Amino acid sequence: MEQLKQKILSEGIVLPGNVLKVDSFLNHQIDPVLVMAMGEELARRFADAVIDRVLTVEASGIAIGLAAAYALGVPLVFAKKSKSVLMTEDAYTAAVYSYTKKVTNQISVLKRFLPSGESVLIVDDFLANGEASLGLAELVHQASSSVAGVGIAVDKAFQPGHDRLLHAGYRLESLAVIESLDGGRVHFRE
Ligand code: 5GP
């Protein structure tokens, strides 16, 4: 998606450890026009698929998840990373190792918000090792639903997540695919 790539080139900052900082438009401050357009683009790419709901993980997946869910006309559910006293009901849970925070979170979704027999689109802001997407897919399988696909804003395809998702048989649609962050510069895959 050209608009997203241009924004990454003009405002993205490459940090050590192959981390791309996009906090001026996606991860801290949010550009609503761009994020809504990203949601529309994901909806367009999955227009041929049956999608009953969008599933993401808090917090950075929520903006693009909401934009995609709005464009698709379906509910958005986000997995929580920590257990709250409000979560008294039964929940599906999976362990997810965080690429940026270097901790393992137990992500969870109340069973009520992940009904069985649905087709669920997983959406996230970044794809690195694939831990978040595969953890969300595990929740969908626990619910006896199926994964319609995975929609990603920024796919660092040189890291293992991209191939892990494809090898697991998931349909992957990424709005910006990064080939490398070598030399502190963003190189896109054409
Ligand atoms: P994965 O689970 O695929 O290893 O990593 C994806 C998750 O880690 C995303 O939800 C995102 O929050 C975070 N993440 C991974 N790489 C980056 C990055 O380069 N920049 C930012 N801002 N977040 C990242």
Side-chain angles (χ1 to χ4, degrees), residues 13 15-23 26-27 56-61 81 96-101 123-136 152 154 156 158-162 164-165 178 181:
I13 298 164
L15 298 179
N18 281 324
V19 171
L20 177 65
K21 192 170 168 179
V22 291
D23 61 354
L26 192 59
N27 286 153
T56 188
V57 58
E58 68 177 355
S60 54
K81 282 180 179 163
V96 167
Y97 181 75
S98 165
Y99 185 85
T100 46
K101 306 220 166 67
V123 169
D124 204 6
D125 59 340
F126 273 85
L127 179 59
N129 289 328
E131 288 284 304
S133 297
L134 289 166
L136 290 168
I152 296 288
V154 187
K156 294 187 293 179
F158 59 93
Q159 294 183 328
H162 183 97
R164 280 178 83 190
L165 291 185
I178 295 181
L181 294 174

Side-chain angles (χ1 to χ4, degrees), residues 22-146:
V22 291
D23 61 354
S24 68
F25 61 94
L26 192 59
N27 286 153
H28 197 3
Q29 176 171 258
I30 291 174
D31 179 335
V33 174
L34 175 62
V35 171
M36 292 312 281
M38 287 159 60
E40 279 163 24
E41 176 65 14
L42 283 180
R44 196 184 63 73
R45 294 196 192 185
F46 283 100
D48 60 329
V50 174
I51 294 167
D52 298 305
R53 77 183 53 225
V54 172
L55 176 66
T56 188
V57 58
E58 68 177 355
S60 54
I62 294 177
I64 180 166
L66 177 66
Y70 183 78
L72 288 161
V74 299
L76 166 72
V77 183
F78 62 92
K80 303 214 177 194
K81 282 180 179 163
S82 55
K83 209 168 161 54
S84 133
V85 288
L86 294 172
M87 284 190 91
T88 52
E89 298 169 45
D90 263 2
Y92 299 115
T93 63
V96 167
Y97 181 75
S98 165
Y99 185 85
T100 46
K101 306 220 166 67
K102 311 287 179 213
V103 292
T104 298
N105 290 304
Q106 210 59 39
I107 63 164
S108 53
V109 172
L110 289 187
K111 290 185 176 178
R112 190 154 53 100
F113 298 130
L114 213 47
S116 63
E118 286 195 345
S119 179
V120 179
L121 176 65
I122 291 168
V123 169
D124 204 6
D125 59 340
F126 273 85
L127 179 59
N129 289 328
E131 288 284 304
S133 297
L134 289 166
L136 290 168
E138 194 181 317
L139 300 182
V140 173
H141 296 311
Q142 285 175 21
S144 301
S145 281
S146 61

